[in-house]
């Protein structure tokens, strides 16, 4: 078991986890909401350190990141567990399993055994091995994705420290619940984040995700202030977060921080506990795209469907197509050294 660094000791053998904004106070033998950080005798342990539930080599565009090392591959990994409980989760089989296990063990009064149960999931993949694979295969980045990286902070941070020494970049694909402490700690090794802004309605966050809106907004602003490259993703769910008013609020919030922040509008497909809602229509995605543009956002992208017209990067000054995308096929056409080849405008992002 690996002792966590993000926690505080309290009285009565309790601990306060400081890895994410759920702020769990954890009693002896129990875990926090995520089910992967356990209190043993007044110390907090990360049960999934070096244990990947899944890993793959993905195109960076799949994260999605469109202004960060385009057309490169990224080593992607996740563990089990999550601090949210989104009923539309596409990776619910790995993200929600620890909560189910925790409830069962609490009921059976066997919660002390959760470390043994969790250790059965996943593959041994220590930070050194990840860096070795990237070096061997010449992969320029690591993405902490598939489930929420803030809950496996110590694993991600050690990997990021080690890989950044070799010039490998590090990326969080996250729901935006990192604490200020965790984000500041990993900042020197973290190059980019794709942060979900799932809704602009606190009730949506509370009912559907078992979280809150405000902490996510704070993380987005903090990541921007810290100078980490950020892109925002909103999965558009019919009838849940697709009203004009809500989309305008999301676009207005992003645009109020910086009009250069890319906004990814992605299509929902029925999954997990939300199988009664249809997939997002193209018309709704295009409506959201127009709202983003009207709010002044320079880079709005439609995703999770094939839509070349709304997924390419255009120069905001002269409208030249800079990067053409067709699914995960990417062609860098008129971008050189981060500038439009035609008019010379600087395009924000991390290009190498
Ligand atoms: S990471 Fe978040 S959900 Fe998990 S124990 Fe810590 S505060 Fe709770």
């Amino acid at each position: 078991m690996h002792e966590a660094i993000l926690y505080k000791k309290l009285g009565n053998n309790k601990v306060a986890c400081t890895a994410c904004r759920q702020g769990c106070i954890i009693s002896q033998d129990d875990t926090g909401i995520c089910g992967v950080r356990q209190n043993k005798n007044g110390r907090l342990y990360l049960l999934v350190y070096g244990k990947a539930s899944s890993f793959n080599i993905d195109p960076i565009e799949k994260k999605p990141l469109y202004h960060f090392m385009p057309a490169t591959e990224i080593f992607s990994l996740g563990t089990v567990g999550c601090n949210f409980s989104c009923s539309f989760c596409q990776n619910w089989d790995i993200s929600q399993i620890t909560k189910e296990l925790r409830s069962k063990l609490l009921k059976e009064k066997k919660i002390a055994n959760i470390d043994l149960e969790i250790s059965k999931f996943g593959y041994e993949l220590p930070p050194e091995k990840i860096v070795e694979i990237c070096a061997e295969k010449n992969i320029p980045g690591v993405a902490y994705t598939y489930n929420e990286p803030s809950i496996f902070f110590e694993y991600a941070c050690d990997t990021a420290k080690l890989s950044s020494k070799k010039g490998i970049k590090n990326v969080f694909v996250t729901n935006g619940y990192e604490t200020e402490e965790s984000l500041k700690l990993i900042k020197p090794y973290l190059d980019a984040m794709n942060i979900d802004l799932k809704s602009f309605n606190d009730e949506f966050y509370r009912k559907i995700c078992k979280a809150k809106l405000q902490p996510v907004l704070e993380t987005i602003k903090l990541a921007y202030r810290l100078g980490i490259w950020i892109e925002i993703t909103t999965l558009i769910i019919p009838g849940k977060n697709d009203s004009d008013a809500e989309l305008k609020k999301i676009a207005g919030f992003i645009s109020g921080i910086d009009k250069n922040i890319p906004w990814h509008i992605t299509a929902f497909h029925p999954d997990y506990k939300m199988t009664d809602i249809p997939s997002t229509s193209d018309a709704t995605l295009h409506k959201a795209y127009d709202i983003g543009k009207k709010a002044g956002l320079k880079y709005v992208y439609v995703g999770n469907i094939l839509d070349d017209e709304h997924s390419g990067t255009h120069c905001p000054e002269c409208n030249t197509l800079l990067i053409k995308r067709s699914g995960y096929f990417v062609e860098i056409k008129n971008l050189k050294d981060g500038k439009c080849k035609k008019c010379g405008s600087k395009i924000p992002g991390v290009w190498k």
Side-chain angles (χ1 to χ4, degrees):
M1 281 206 303
H2 189 98
E3 188 171 359
I5 53 171
L6 286 177
Y7 79 96
K8 287 189 180 71
K9 291 182 179 175
L10 305 172
N12 294 335
N13 246 11
K14 289 188 177 180
V15 299
C17 177
T18 57
C20 96
R21 295 185 193 244
Q22 292 285 17
C24 300
I25 307 289
I26 309 171
S27 302
Q28 169 69 21
D29 292 332
D30 200 359
T31 71
I33 292 170
C34 59
V36 299
R37 300 173 74 84
Q38 186 184 24
N39 176 351
K40 284 269 189 196
N41 303 318
R43 287 170 184 258
L44 189 67
Y45 293 89
L46 175 61
L47 305 179
V48 292
Y49 188 98
K51 273 261 173 176
S53 67
S54 12
F55 56 90
N56 280 298
I57 297 168
D58 287 336
I60 188 114
E61 283 75 17
K62 200 173 177 182
K63 301 303 106 192
L65 284 172
Y66 280 10
H67 288 229
F68 186 85
M69 317 266 292
T72 62
E73 290 182 319
I74 190 152
F75 187 90
S76 304
L77 73 135
T79 68
V80 286
C82 189
N83 49 359
F84 281 25
S85 304
C86 306
S87 40
F88 51 85
C89 184
Q90 288 162 357
N91 290 338
W92 57 272
D93 52 337
I94 57 166
S95 70
Q96 302 305 314
I97 192 157
T98 52
K99 288 192 201 85
E100 286 164 21
L101 198 56
R102 177 174 175 245
S103 320
K104 179 175 163 278
L105 293 173
L106 278 171
K107 244 185 240 158
E108 294 169 355
K109 300 198 185 326
K110 289 182 183 162
I111 192 65
N113 296 339
I114 196 165
D115 52 338
L116 296 173
E117 295 298 324
I118 298 269
S119 70
K120 292 176 190 162
F121 294 101
Y123 313 88
E124 295 296 335
L125 193 66
E128 298 76 15
K129 185 75 193 162
I130 296 168
V131 177
E132 201 184 297
I133 297 170
C134 289
E136 247 176 44
K137 296 190 180 293
N138 216 7
I139 299 168
V142 179
Y144 309 87
T145 177
Y146 304 137
N147 69 325
E148 174 49 41
S150 58
I151 67 164
F152 62 87
F153 178 85
E154 291 79 4
Y155 179 26
C157 194
D158 285 356
T159 308
K161 263 188 205 171
L162 213 59
S163 59
S164 62
K165 277 191 199 148
K166 303 259 177 202
I168 295 166
K169 301 229 186 292
N170 291 278
V171 166
F172 265 22
V173 179
T174 172
N175 57 30
Y177 241 52
E178 290 81 359
T179 55
E180 186 165 341
E181 185 185 358
S182 71
L183 210 49
K184 285 186 171 168
L185 212 55
I186 201 166
K187 196 252 153 193
Y189 325 105
L190 191 62
D191 300 283
M193 296 170 81
N194 184 299
I195 309 176
D196 278 346
L197 181 50
K198 296 172 192 279
S199 164
F200 216 78
N201 177 355
D202 192 52
E203 206 184 318
F204 175 106
Y205 267 96
R206 285 176 191 268
K207 279 195 179 157
I208 300 180
C209 308
K210 305 283 181 281
K212 294 177 196 159
L213 167 65
Q214 196 55 35
V216 178
L217 302 182
E218 281 164 22
T219 300
I220 292 172
K221 287 189 269 187
L222 176 64
Y224 178 79
R225 275 205 310 277
L226 290 174
I228 300 167
W229 177 256
I230 58 169
E231 303 192 15
I232 306 292
T233 296
T234 305
L235 181 81
I236 310 280
I237 308 173
K240 299 288 181 192
N241 63 356
D242 62 346
S243 72
D244 289 18
E246 182 158 2
L247 293 169
K248 276 180 194 164
K249 281 185 196 162
I250 298 175
F253 170 78
I254 303 169
S255 150
I257 298 174
D258 189 335
K259 292 181 169 45
N260 287 312
I261 297 173
W263 185 30
H264 300 265
I265 302 154
T266 56
F268 162 86
H269 301 293
D271 212 330
Y272 192 35
K273 294 179 181 168
M274 250 194 210
T275 47
D276 53 336
I277 292 179
S279 297
T280 321
S281 68
D282 291 6
T284 301
L285 295 167
H286 295 157
K287 174 187 80 169
Y289 180 94
D290 290 341
I291 287 174
K293 286 289 189 177
K294 271 192 195 129
L297 292 174
K298 293 183 185 165
Y299 308 99
V300 184
Y301 301 108
V302 166
N304 275 1
I305 56 159
L306 254 188
D307 185 342
D308 297 8
E309 196 189 327
H310 297 92
S311 57
T313 300
H314 290 83
C315 173
E317 294 304 320
C318 68
N319 206 33
T320 297
L321 179 62
L322 306 173
I323 305 175
K324 181 178 170 12
R325 297 184 189 86
S326 188
Y328 297 129
F329 177 76
V330 181
E331 196 184 346
I332 301 173
K333 292 183 83 73
N334 290 299
L335 185 77
K336 196 167 180 241
D337 301 328
K339 287 182 184 160
C340 170
K341 273 191 198 170
K342 195 164 174 207
C343 73
S345 292
K346 200 167 178 283
I347 308 300
V350 177
W351 305 110
K352 54 179 165 179

